[in-house]
Amino acid sequence: MWTLPGPCAGHHIGALVNPGLALLVSLTAHCSHPQAEGASQGGLDTGRADLWAGASASLLQGFWCQPASQLSRDQLAALIRRMATQHVLLRAWQLSCLANLAARQGLQGDFELHPPDLLLFYNLTQVEEADCRAFIRRAAQGDTKLLANLPNQRAALQHRALTCLVGAPRLSASDLLLLGVLVCDMDASSIATADPHVLQNLQHCPRLTAAQQAALNRLLASGRTVLGPPGSWNLEGLQALGPLASYISPGLWMQLQEAVGLDFFRSIVAACRAGQLRQRDARRFVTNFLEAKSKAVSSPSKRDTGRPCVRGNITAATLHDDLFLVRYDCGQLESCLGSRVLRANLDPLLQHPLPAECQQVVKAKLARVYPGGVPEEQLRLIPSLAYLYSLSEIGQWHITSKDTVMTLLAPDGALENQTEAILQKFLDHNGTITGALLVAIGGSRLCWMSPQQIQAIRPSEFRLAGALDISSCPQTRKNVLFDKAREAFASASTTDTYYRFMRPYLGGAPVEELRHLAQANVSMDIDTFTNLNPRVLQSLSLGNVTTLLGPNVGDLQKAQSHPIISSWLRSLNRSALSELGLDTGPTGPTSSAHSTTGTPSTTLWTRHQVPTSEGPGSTAPSSGSPPAHLGYLPLAMALPAGLLWLLYGGTPRLSWGHPQGICSMVEDCTAPAPHAGEQGLARGAGRLPRPRCRRQGTWPHPPS
């Protein structure tokens, strides 16, 4: 089964909030008490180390390295094994320091009992040659996106994987089984020549580059896959492709038998309307399919654009037809959709994965129907269109409900710079930015709020929101958000507690703050370190950095090609680099991650680095040391784990959404699917309460 990353995926809990959230937030604000500090973000304090090994998955997701560093070897081993059996999804900052703890306790050799995500962060030079294939096989089940800030570690993992292969120029089926999701970094030219089983690997890639898409289509066109040549493709074979079907080119769709293509189109739209597919993936498929159909039927000059309605007026019944977009192209949508039908049936219309051209048609029609601005009850239906609206057009809207704001600003949506305008319309109608709203729209939306809007958030609401991921924010916003977070959490009773709360916001910290934290021996993880202000980092001495990172300082090697780390390393002399254990070359620091045994060809691999959000920003504001005393905890830290799951959207269930079948915790999304290696897709995927093209779900599978 292919589970899409979306608001309810394990790494994004809190993105969807049920109707009882506001009440729970209110109750928690009154019930929270300073005594709750012992149950902070770490989940369990060191005084009850025996509880770690028996903790629930939801509680273990709050893992914190500092208390875990005081566990005995046996206790730490039990904790890591329980994380594996409970399929606990940890973030990169948690995994990097946990890997270091395991290495210090000599636990890497037990990798078969450890979570695959954790193996991604292990010291690969310490992997025994005899264990190489077994280690890579398990590590390849992990989520390599977690290594976004550790480019050298990701490259070393690829290199280590290649040392386990025979070295044949063409990847065999057994090679592909070993490599798993690591194939997502494969050079595009190698995809077309690989064993056809490569399709199973590519299904787990979050996205394919343009070159990889072209290679995929060459492989499919060759007829070497189990599907055979395009003219012989059937419905079951297409559905077994999972997300790869959305990359099939119009040229290949033209070679398909018409009945098979229409059946598959119908299944995709039905799955989209049932909330089982991300709209962007369904739209990519629909756009390619319809392009093939238009080329087969007529030339572009003879299309129906601008012509009178020849397909018949669109009715409510028409809009419930899964083949609606096949029968009505964007030109006929313009000609055949009346204003009255549009007003009454906007919801079912937008359940279809409309191509961009058709979205523009609907937007233009709404402007004619509502010349004074789209009314609020309709705004809640148009999140898929909201990115098309200019700031002046948003200025005509009337937004009085936080539910409308949450719908328009749903996490992972297309909106960016419209966030400020939408929030402002809400604030203009006496709305307030609450902790519940911040949790619902996610930390990335803070990047697009104005400094004035951020300043207007009450510290108590910011505390209730807890840790929000602002790593994608531009530096100027990180600076403002740091000031707001410091205002909210400055009353922490200890520096350690203060650091736990402030960690996500340290990307905006001034140099004085980081020097203070270094003196407090906080042992910053490398993921947080790579998100610091580049200009501030340049002001830190080698001693500051080594003290700040503490036992995690060795992780600099895993990230030395990261732009921020690389820039800092270039400012150091050879002696300092040697002290850090980093080699130097003619062009500056070079990775020693490739020093593993063997010299296989690396032409199969192309590193696809994740770009950083912004280069060096403005100088960060100055601040001093945090004063003492914690008022009360953020919501996510104060509530019991069981209540948190209810708060964030319902009863958790297990979904095999991780690459290669690693079970991940989601809420009300999908049912379990087969283990890795089994072909086909899970049956009976769960539906969201309200059908729409959601940003999560599963690719439709063959009917029973």
Side-chain angles (χ1 to χ4, degrees), residues 145-442:
K145 295 191 300 295
L146 292 164
L147 298 176
N149 287 328
L150 301 178
N152 296 80
Q153 178 71 0
R154 185 162 184 161
L157 184 65
Q158 297 164 4
H159 180 86
R160 193 67 174 128
L162 288 175
T163 66
C164 300
L165 302 181
V166 178
R170 176 174 177 267
L171 292 174
S172 66
S174 60
D175 293 337
L176 293 167
L177 183 63
L178 171 75
L179 293 172
V181 75
L182 298 179
V183 171
C184 298
D185 287 336
M186 185 187 295
D187 182 83
S189 63
S190 300
I191 293 177
T193 60
D195 184 277
H197 284 85
V198 72
L199 296 180
Q200 297 179 23
N201 299 69
L202 296 177
Q203 286 188 24
H204 299 290
C205 301
R207 66 180 62 85
L208 299 183
T209 66
Q212 288 173 328
Q213 292 176 40
L216 169 67
N217 279 282
R218 289 196 299 272
L219 178 60
L220 292 173
S222 71
R224 292 195 296 113
T225 71
V226 69
L227 278 74
S232 66
W233 290 357
N234 57 36
L235 177 62
E236 290 74 18
L238 285 170
Q239 290 174 323
L241 281 178
L244 298 182
S246 68
Y247 295 110
I248 295 178
S249 67
L252 291 184
W253 287 124
M254 291 178 66
Q255 301 177 44
L256 223 66
Q257 296 180 30
E258 183 178 14
V260 173
L262 292 178
D263 283 346
F264 186 63
F265 188 98
R266 185 182 288 109
S267 71
I268 290 295
V269 173
C272 181
R273 295 173 66 191
Q276 297 173 353
L277 289 180
R278 282 187 299 202
Q279 195 173 86
R280 70 181 185 188
D281 295 297
R283 189 182 298 123
R284 180 171 57 234
F285 156 74
V286 166
T287 300
N288 288 339
F289 188 93
L290 294 181
E291 181 181 337
K293 181 177 180 298
S294 67
K295 290 179 178 178
V297 172
S298 62
S299 64
S301 61
K302 296 181 180 180
R303 290 175 62 196
D304 293 327
T305 303
R307 293 172 175 267
C309 177
V310 296
R311 298 286 186 181
N313 290 332
I314 295 173
T315 65
T318 309
L319 293 174
H320 285 87
D321 181 2
D322 290 333
L323 293 179
F324 165 70
L325 290 174
V326 173
R327 299 189 170 115
Y328 289 84
D329 64 18
C330 299
Q332 284 295 286
L333 179 64
E334 165 67 34
S335 304
C336 303
L337 180 60
S339 298
R340 184 172 57 83
V341 174
L342 175 63
R343 281 197 302 268
N345 298 277
L346 182 59
D347 193 30
L349 171 61
L350 295 182
Q351 288 176 20
H352 291 273
L354 301 177
E357 181 184 353
C358 292
Q359 288 184 324
Q360 290 283 6
V361 169
V362 175
K363 176 179 178 288
K365 282 184 170 290
L366 286 172
R368 292 194 290 270
V369 172
Y370 304 112
V374 181
E376 185 163 15
E377 63 270 16
Q378 299 284 57
L379 288 178
R380 299 175 188 176
L381 305 177
I382 67 165
S384 61
L385 302 182
Y387 77 100
L388 297 173
Y389 284 84
S390 67
L391 301 184
S392 60
E393 289 172 323
I394 293 174
Q396 295 181 297
W397 295 353
H398 295 277
I399 302 177
T400 62
S401 168
K402 68 177 181 183
D403 292 334
T404 305
V405 177
M406 291 161 59
T407 300
L408 293 171
L409 300 183
D412 301 326
L415 289 178
E416 288 184 350
N417 60 339
Q418 292 100 325
T419 296
E420 177 183 345
I422 290 173
L423 280 173
Q424 195 57 50
K425 295 303 297 182
F426 176 60
L427 294 174
D428 290 344
H429 287 85
N430 297 320
T432 58
I433 301 176
T434 64
L437 183 57
L438 290 174
V439 170
I441 65 178

Side-chain angles (χ1 to χ4, degrees), residues 24-41 433-436 457-467 484-494 497-498 500-502 505 627-639:
L24 286 170
V25 169
S26 176
L27 290 173
T28 303
H30 288 288
C31 296
S32 298
H33 193 273
Q35 275 80 2
E37 189 173 310
S40 64
Q41 193 169 332
I433 301 176
T434 64
I457 303 172
R458 291 194 295 268
S460 58
E461 299 297 338
F462 207 85
R463 285 194 289 268
L464 288 173
K484 174 54 64 174
R486 193 172 185 282
E487 180 185 2
F489 302 122
S491 58
S493 60
T494 67
T497 302
Y498 172 80
R500 295 187 188 191
F501 297 158
M502 290 294 296
Y505 307 103
H629 189 63
L630 174 68
Y632 46 89
L633 298 173
L635 176 63
M637 302 174 186
L639 286 177

Side-chain angles (χ1 to χ4, degrees), residues 499-518:
Y499 174 71
R500 295 187 188 191
F501 297 158
M502 290 294 296
R503 187 202 58 78
Y505 307 103
L506 292 177
V511 65
E512 295 88 348
E513 185 81 8
L514 297 178
R515 287 171 178 163
H516 168 78
L517 292 174

